[in-house]
């Protein structure tokens, strides 16, 4: 696992500094992603610079150093990720006459580019990755990302230079970096807790979509325009194929096929030249992954979990019970109040753009715990999106079915009436109005009654803050285009529509981003067996009843897990990994929150409605209303903004000389 960064400057003569040093400085901003090695390469004629930081996992020798050249000299590549089928591909390439100097998957991938071409090779790869390849023959830059979006990649133009990198930190390290806040992205963040792709928090800087290839050639360099990403793989195509040719066998036969695919995926992803462990929450997905790992391993697998002292949030006892039954070597950590003031302020730096998933703090602590013992951890992510695991699916289907029974005009009138009653109840003094939760539920129901269609119901359910325009000053609510998917109506049922869209947006932009930034901040590689593209495609060929039936989620995964664990250890309602931030900001984090939500802090940038935020903050502290989740979003943005102001250097046109750099920042000078 690594960090990549680079640029193309169509007018490199405008720079007085060494392009290779610029690439090294960009890569150095990603040192946490790759503490074991660094490298850079530049072509002054083309204005291209490539930088790399390496976390050595496979082939720990110098033969894995990057940037790496193909044997024919045509391609130069920087690569972040793992190719799990590289041994089979290497065998094919050796039969065609290719010879290899080391044992890295990067060298095999480069040979594939030379033998089959870039896009055909991408289709052959099984793995997770983000890469940049400079084609010296055609003088073009190629960026690519894995099918599910496990590894991040940002790109865009700033000050006439095209920049790209694993994290925004690397782009900001370029001396010509200049970017403005994207207000629509901010509105989306306040609604969702994260910024949906392709946007980033900065105007003109984008996230490369999963399964996409972007090629920047001479025409784009002359016009300073972004090429349109091209899909070499798409979930839509996989879903359509699965629906058109459904799995023909019985549920038992489907379980056997999935067991084979998952066992193979786990076995491939356990291959490493460093210690490997697993995150274990005690839920179905992570327990299944650990069960397959332990079945394939003679030694006890290292497993790790995090717990909370707050009841209703603690899954650690379940993980402990699963680990005991499977016989793993288990380590757990409980989140203590004393950890919060030191850990929470770090999040805005680690996540690099505003991010407010309430499980990002325990994910960071879990990663820190695991990194003390292993370098690689397998996780159970992806099971909810592929096999219908989220509780929102049940709620949305029930609500949708209920709304169909009520004529539209009646729904609208009833919704308006309930809203009036709810707002009147919320305005009463607490001693007269009673607890606010009943009125808040009535207010939510009034909005649901006025939802126009199942897309609106789904959007309502996934919105952490349903009305971002109420919090933002002079910033209109985002148009909601990220949910108005043209494929929505083409899928046969609401469950499939929700799973499809969650896999397209929520999984890569929130779940995978959370895990990637937390784990890589401590140089821990995470691997996700359920996101093997063969499993993704197989899941979409299954009848809905194999995935979810009579309200029971992940039906086929439960069948597999019963082979390894008694049902009492996993048959329970889904709990999730969310932290109790609503209570934390009233208690141990109150001083931190109060500082970020002070009149002066809110007034400084003028992005939020100061009086609204302050009033709701006081209502939350006094327990008059529960504004915890939207307040957490505001807090995470404010913390991110303050961190950027204190850390981002002033724009500059050139870098110091090599001699000056050697004196003040010797780690940036390539030996």
């Amino acid at each position: 696992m690594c960090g990549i960064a680079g640029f193309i400057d169509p007018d490199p003569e405008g720079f007085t500094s060494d392009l290779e040093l610029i690439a090294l400085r960009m890569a150095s901003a990603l040192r946490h992603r790759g503490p074991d090695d660094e490298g850079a390469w530049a072509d002054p004629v083309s204005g291209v610079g490539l930088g790399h930081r390496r976390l050595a996992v496979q082939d720990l020798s110098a033969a894995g150093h990057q940037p790496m050249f193909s044997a024919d000299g045509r391609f130069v590549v920087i690569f972040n990720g793992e190719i799990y089928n590289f041994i089979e591909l290497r065998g094919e390439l050796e039969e065609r006459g290719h010879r290899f100097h080391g044992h890295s998957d990067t060298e095999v991938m480069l040979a594939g580019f030379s033998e089959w071409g870039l896009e055909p090779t991408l289709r052959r790869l099984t793995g997770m990755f983000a890469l940049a390849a400079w084609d010296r023959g055609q003088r073009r830059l190629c960026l690519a990302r894995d099918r599910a979006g496990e590894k991040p990649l940002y790109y865009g133009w700033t000050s006439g230079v095209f920049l790209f990198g694993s994290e925004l930190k690397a782009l900001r390290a370029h001396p010509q970096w200049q970017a403005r806040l994207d207000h629509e992205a901010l509105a989306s963040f306040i609604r969702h807790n994260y910024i949906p792709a392709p946007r980033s928090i900065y105007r003109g800087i984008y996230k490369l979509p999963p399964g996409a290839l972007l090629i920047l050639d001479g025409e784009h360099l002359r016009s300073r325009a972004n090429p349109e990403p091209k899909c070499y793989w798409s979930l839509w195509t996989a879903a359509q194929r699965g629906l058109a040719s459904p799995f023909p066998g019985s549920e038992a036969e489907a379980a056997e096929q999935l067991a084979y695919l998952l066992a193979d995926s786990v076995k491939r992803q356990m291959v490493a030249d460093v210690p490997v462990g697993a995150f274990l929450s005690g839920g179905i997905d992570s327990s299944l992954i650990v069960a397959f790992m332990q079945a394939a391993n003679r030694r006890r697998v290292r497993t790790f979990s995090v717990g909370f002292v707050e009841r209703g949030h603690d899954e650690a006892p379940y993980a402990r019970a699963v680990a005991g039954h499977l016989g793993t070597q288990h380590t757990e950590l409980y989140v203590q109040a004393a950890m919060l003031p030191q850990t929470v302020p770090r999040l805005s730096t680690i996540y690099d753009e505003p991010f407010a998933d309430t499980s990002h703090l325990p994910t960071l602590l879990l990663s820190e715990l695991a990194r003390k013992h292993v370098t690689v951890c397998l996780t159970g992510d992806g099971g909810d999106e592929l096999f219908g695991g989220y509780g929102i699916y049940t709620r949305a289907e029930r609500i949708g079915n209920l709304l169909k029974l009520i004529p539209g005009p009646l729904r609208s009138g009833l919704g308006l009436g309930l809203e009036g009653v709810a707002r009147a109840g919320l305005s009463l003094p607490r001693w007269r109005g009673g607890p606010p939760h009943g009125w808040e539920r009535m207010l939510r129901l009034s909005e649901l009654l006025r939802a126009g269609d199942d897309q609106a119901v789904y959007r309502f359910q996934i919105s952490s803050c349903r009305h971002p325009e109420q919090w933002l000053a002079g910033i209109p609510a985002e148009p909601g285009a990220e949910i108005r998917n043209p494929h929505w109506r083409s899928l046969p049922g609401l469950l499939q529509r929700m799973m499809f869209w969650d896999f397209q947006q929520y999984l890569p932009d929130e779940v995978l981003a959370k895990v990637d930034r937390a784990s890589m901040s401590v140089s821990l590689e995470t691997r996700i067996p359920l996101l093997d593209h063969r499993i993704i495609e197989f899941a979409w060929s299954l009848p809905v009843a194999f995935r979810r039936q009579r309200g029971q989620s992940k039906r086929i995964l439960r069948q597999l897990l019963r082979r390894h664990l008694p049902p009492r250890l996993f048959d329970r309602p889904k709990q999730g990994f969310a932290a109790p931030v609503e209570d934390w900001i009233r208690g141990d984090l109150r001083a931190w929150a109060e500082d970020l939500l002070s009149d002066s802090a809110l007034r400084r940038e003028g992005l939020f409605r100061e009086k609204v935020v302050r009033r709701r903050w006081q209502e939350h502290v006094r327990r008059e209303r529960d504004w915890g989740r939207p307040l957490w979003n505001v807090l995470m943005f404010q913390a991110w903004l303050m961190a950027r102001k204190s850390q981002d250097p002033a724009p500059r046109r050139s870098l110091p000389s090599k001699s000056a750099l050697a004196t003040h920042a010797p780690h940036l000078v390539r030996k």
Side-chain angles (χ1 to χ4, degrees), residues 42-63:
D43 177 6
V45 176
S46 301
V48 178
L50 305 178
H52 187 262
R53 291 293 317 194
R54 184 186 183 198
L55 175 63
V57 170
Q58 190 72 35
D59 188 354
L60 309 186
S61 73

Side-chain angles (χ1 to χ4, degrees), residues 627-645:
W627 296 108
R629 293 305 174 91
L631 280 170
W632 186 251
N633 294 359
V634 175
L635 285 164
M636 286 290 99
F637 177 81
Q638 289 286 90
W640 173 84
L641 193 62
M642 296 304 104
R644 296 288 73 75
K645 287 183 174 296

